Amino acid sequence: MKKHTLILVDDHPLVISGIKAMLADSTEFEIIGDANDGEQALALVQTMVPDLLVLDIRMPKLTGIEVVQKLKDQGSSIKTLLLSMHDSEGYVLNSIRAGADGYLLKGATKEEIIKAFRIIVKGGKFFTGEVSSSIISNFIDQKPLQSKNDFNLTKRELQILNLVLQGMSNQEIADELEISKRTAEVHRFNLMKKMDVKNPVELANKAREYQLT
C-alpha cells in the first residue's frame, strides 16, 4: 500500500522529532521533509508536494495560518493541519477562514493525531474535540466569522494598539508618534471602543486572539 506523504513544520525540534518517532513504524504515513518556519515550508512544498502539510500555528517569518492562506491563494490542493497549544476561538476561526483542513491541539493523544491524519488525507475535516461545537456550526452553516478586519481599525489605530501592548502610556505614545497627548487619548479610546474592551488586559487578550500583533 502506498504511504501518504507528510511534511512537518514547527520551530520546536522536539515536536518534529516526537511526530517522527510516532510514525517511525507506520505503514500509512511517511514523513518526506520538515522545516522550522513558514517561509521554509512554502519553499519545501514547491519541490516536495506532500499529501498533508502539518504546521505549527505560531512560527517565525510566516505563521501557520499565513502559510495555509498563501497555499490556497496559489490554488494548491495540499491538505493542511494546524497544530496549536491553544484552543482559542479566534485561532480556530482564522484557521477555518484561511482554508485549513484541520486544527489539533499539541497535547492530543497519538490515537487522535493518527485519526486526524487519516480523515484529512481522505478529504475530510478534523477539528480537535476541545473546539466548541458552536464554532464548527458557524463554519458548516456559513455564518459570518469574525476576523480582524471586522474591527475596522485604521492604520493609526493599529499603531496605537502595538504601542499600548508594549505598555506605553498616552504621553509616551504621543511622543513616539509625534502627536498630542489628547490625540493619542482619542485614538486609544476609539480603538478600545471598536474592539469592545474595557482595559489593557482585555485589549491584549483580544489582540492575541485575533492575531492583530
Side-chain angles (χ1 to χ4, degrees):
M1 181 179 67
K2 182 180 179 294
K3 292 184 179 182
H4 294 291
T5 55
L6 279 68
I7 285 179
L8 307 178
V9 190
D10 199 299
D11 59 330
H12 294 95
L14 284 176
V15 174
I16 291 179
S17 62
I19 297 177
K20 284 183 175 180
M22 182 188 305
L23 300 179
D25 300 321
S26 175
T27 58
E28 296 178 76
F29 303 102
E30 177 186 5
I31 298 170
I32 59 173
D34 62 77
N36 55 34
D37 66 55
E39 289 185 355
Q40 287 182 9
L42 287 176
L44 198 56
V45 298
Q46 299 301 317
T47 55
M48 305 176 70
V49 183
D51 296 317
L52 175 61
L53 182 63
V54 182
L55 301 138
D56 185 10
I57 201 167
R58 297 298 298 272
M59 295 185 296
K61 299 181 180 179
L62 290 174
T63 67
I65 289 177
E66 289 171 333
V67 172
V68 170
Q69 186 66 65
K70 286 182 179 295
L71 289 174
K72 295 302 178 183
D73 290 344
Q74 294 168 8
S76 173
S77 60
I78 294 173
K79 303 296 183 183
T80 54
L81 170 64
L82 288 166
L83 298 178
S84 176
M85 294 292 294
H86 311 285
D87 60 352
S88 161
E89 201 167 289
Y91 280 128
V92 179
L93 292 179
N94 285 331
S95 300
I96 294 172
R97 185 183 290 277
D101 297 293
Y103 187 100
L104 188 65
L105 295 181
K106 287 188 176 180
T109 63
K110 176 180 178 179
E111 290 73 22
E112 189 174 19
I113 292 172
I114 298 296
K115 180 180 179 182
F117 290 173
R118 285 174 179 160
I119 289 173
I120 293 173
V121 296
K122 290 179 181 178
K125 305 286 184 183
F126 187 92
F127 293 89
T128 181
E130 298 296 323
V131 177
S132 70
S133 59
S134 63
I135 299 175
I136 304 305
S137 295
N138 279 336
F139 173 60
I140 294 173
D141 297 339
Q142 296 298 304
K143 294 177 182 177
L145 300 177
Q146 186 154 19
S147 74
K148 61 186 179 184
N149 293 327
D150 292 332
F151 294 121
N152 295 317
L153 301 183
T154 65
K155 183 177 179 180
R156 177 63 87 187
E157 286 165 348
L158 285 170
Q159 286 181 309
I160 299 290
L161 171 62
N162 283 312
L163 297 178
V164 169
L165 295 181
Q166 291 175 35
M168 288 191 179
S169 66
N170 288 331
Q171 185 60 62
E172 289 171 329
I173 291 172
D175 294 340
E176 176 72 20
L177 299 180
E178 298 181 347
I179 57 178
S180 70
K181 181 181 178 181
R182 174 57 181 164
T183 299
E185 290 172 347
V186 171
H187 282 308
R188 184 168 181 159
F189 173 81
N190 290 337
L191 167 67
M192 297 183 73
K193 183 176 181 181
K194 284 183 178 182
M195 294 184 66
D196 191 28
V197 296
K198 298 180 176 63
N199 56 59
V201 173
E202 290 184 6
L203 181 66
N205 289 338
K206 185 162 285 190
R208 283 194 298 269
E209 183 176 342
Y210 290 93
Q211 298 190 334
L212 292 171
T213 58

